[in-house]
Amino acid sequence: MEGRASRDGSPRGMLDTWHDERPVRRARGRPARPVGREEMSDVYELHIDTDVTVQLSECCREDAQAVFDVLDGVYQLEDMTNPSPQMATGPTTTVWTATFDTAGGRHQEVRPTHLSALVGATLTGGYHAVDEVEKVLAAGFDIQSLQSVSGDQETEARLLLASR
């Protein structure tokens, strides 16, 4: 790299790159364009801003399904993990997990939904997306906010859901 200069004539360091040396993405019928940090950042931020992971605990399968059905009627279900029955030697906690994309979905009206017992819910995702999911849950259930933890890009809200 020694002796090479940037476009403006200043010495070029090892971490500097030429814009025209970046990989190029070619889409059918479109001109080639460089794949840059900006594009990758946009995709990353899109997922941070719209995906919310919902973890339900302290509930039975039917109550977990009722909560997920409410969210699935409004948002697009991205991923769901059902706990598998395992041989346990002591008390265990079952956690039901699903990820919803708040940018997609059917956006159906939410009606009050019955739960057989209280359900603990943890929502994790971008600030706006978690807030939107919390509003949807408040339309279908009585909710009590237990705790909120905020980070640089994401927030986590802990709720207690009950029947209306």
Side-chain angles (χ1 to χ4, degrees):
M1 294 292 264
E2 196 173 299
R4 292 184 73 183
S6 65
R7 287 186 180 164
D8 65 0
S10 62
R12 204 172 102 163
M14 289 183 61
L15 298 178
D16 293 334
T17 59
W18 295 98
H19 290 286
D20 56 355
E21 291 177 353
R22 293 184 291 171
V24 174
R25 175 173 291 156
R26 297 184 188 280
R28 194 179 317 171
R30 293 188 184 157
R33 61 186 175 132
V35 175
R37 198 175 320 173
E38 307 81 26
E39 181 179 313
M40 294 170 79
S41 176
D42 290 345
V43 171
Y44 177 73
E45 288 173 9
L46 177 65
H47 287 291
I48 291 295
D49 289 342
T50 63
D51 283 357
V52 174
T53 300
V54 180
Q55 295 177 325
L56 305 176
S57 60
E58 305 168 26
C59 67
C60 64
R61 177 184 298 273
E62 292 78 18
D63 286 346
Q65 191 61 54
V67 174
F68 289 154
D69 286 347
V70 166
L71 294 174
D72 190 39
V74 178
Y75 304 118
Q76 181 172 339
L77 177 65
E78 293 286 313
D79 186 32
M80 183 185 292
T81 305
N82 290 322
S84 59
Q86 298 175 349
M87 298 289 286
T89 57
T92 62
T93 301
T94 301
V95 177
W96 311 90
T97 305
T99 302
F100 294 91
D101 182 357
T102 60
R106 298 180 298 238
H107 301 286
Q108 297 174 345
E109 182 181 342
V110 177
R111 299 202 169 145
T113 304
H114 174 73
L115 297 173
S116 65
L118 296 176
V119 175
T122 302
L123 314 177
T124 307
Y127 291 97
H128 179 71
V130 167
D131 186 50
E132 290 299 312
V133 170
E134 202 168 332
K135 287 177 187 175
V136 167
L137 291 173
F141 308 97
D142 281 335
I143 66 169
Q144 178 184 1
S145 181
L146 300 177
Q147 183 180 28
S148 180
V149 179
S150 298
D152 184 33
Q153 299 287 322
E154 290 188 328
T155 188
E156 178 180 284
R158 294 185 184 174
L159 311 170
L160 197 56
L161 309 176
S163 293
R164 286 195 143 219

